[in-house]
Amino acid sequence: MGDMSGPYVIRGSVCLPQPELIWRFSRSSGPGGQHVNTSDSQVELRFDLGSTEALPQVWKERALERLAGRLVGGVIVVRASEHRSQWRNRETAAVRLAALLAEATAPPPKPRRPTRIPRGINERRLREKKQRSDVKRGRTGRDWG
């Protein structure tokens, strides 16, 4: 098995730090063929977000805050077991982790500035409302009779 095809870019020039990734392999659950019971194809990728130096400080704080529910002692865990080959599961896990960190470190969206409705449009809306009201009032059967 060759080396991982990396580097996995989080955003810009920041990549997943290969030395800080902790890999664990185990047997995938579920049905399989003759090969499945002997191969450790499920991949668990751990990344210590709390003590990493690979991310800019601002990103790190942002990620720790946003991923708080998924962290166990500052460590984020990603599992992959959908492929039969361990190598493809490793790829999937690394890509997933990079995507997760990219999302968690993204800058917050700019606050929305409320737009003002032009006066003419508002007046037209009120005028149309009044006309409609008059039409409906004209339908009451008072003078039909």
Side-chain angles (χ1 to χ4, degrees):
M1 186 170 92
D3 194 38
M4 298 284 299
S5 67
Y8 295 95
V9 178
I10 296 174
R11 213 172 50 251
S13 60
V14 181
C15 300
L16 280 181
Q18 295 290 343
E20 292 184 30
L21 302 179
I22 304 151
W23 297 93
R24 269 186 53 204
F25 307 102
S26 56
R27 294 185 185 150
S28 290
S29 62
Q34 295 144 331
H35 174 68
V36 78
N37 297 328
T38 57
S39 63
D40 291 345
S41 60
Q42 177 172 294
V43 172
E44 188 178 276
L45 172 57
R46 293 169 170 273
F47 177 59
D48 193 343
L49 192 56
S51 62
T52 185
E53 296 298 320
L55 299 178
Q57 191 58 33
V58 184
W59 287 21
K60 191 168 141 179
E61 286 165 12
R62 218 180 272 157
L64 283 169
E65 188 183 318
R66 288 189 187 160
L67 297 173
R70 281 196 64 164
L71 297 175
V72 180
V75 177
I76 186 136
V77 181
V78 175
R79 283 192 191 85
S81 61
E82 49 267 30
H83 302 296
R84 283 179 61 180
S85 102
Q86 184 194 92
W87 189 80
R88 282 179 65 193
N89 280 331
R90 286 179 71 147
E91 288 282 298
T92 306
V95 167
R96 228 180 257 165
L97 179 63
L100 195 68
L101 289 174
E103 201 178 310
T105 58
K110 288 198 172 85
R112 181 182 169 275
R113 283 186 40 219
T115 51
R116 280 204 47 212
I117 299 171
R119 197 154 104 234
I121 288 179
N122 211 12
E123 285 173 357
R124 187 179 73 201
R125 180 182 66 86
L126 293 172
R127 207 171 37 249
E128 285 170 359
K129 243 176 111 139
K130 183 143 176 41
Q131 280 175 347
R132 188 96 190 116
S133 151
D134 291 345
V135 165
K136 287 188 171 186
R137 197 180 306 119
R139 287 188 189 148
T140 57
R142 284 183 309 229
D143 31 320
W144 292 7

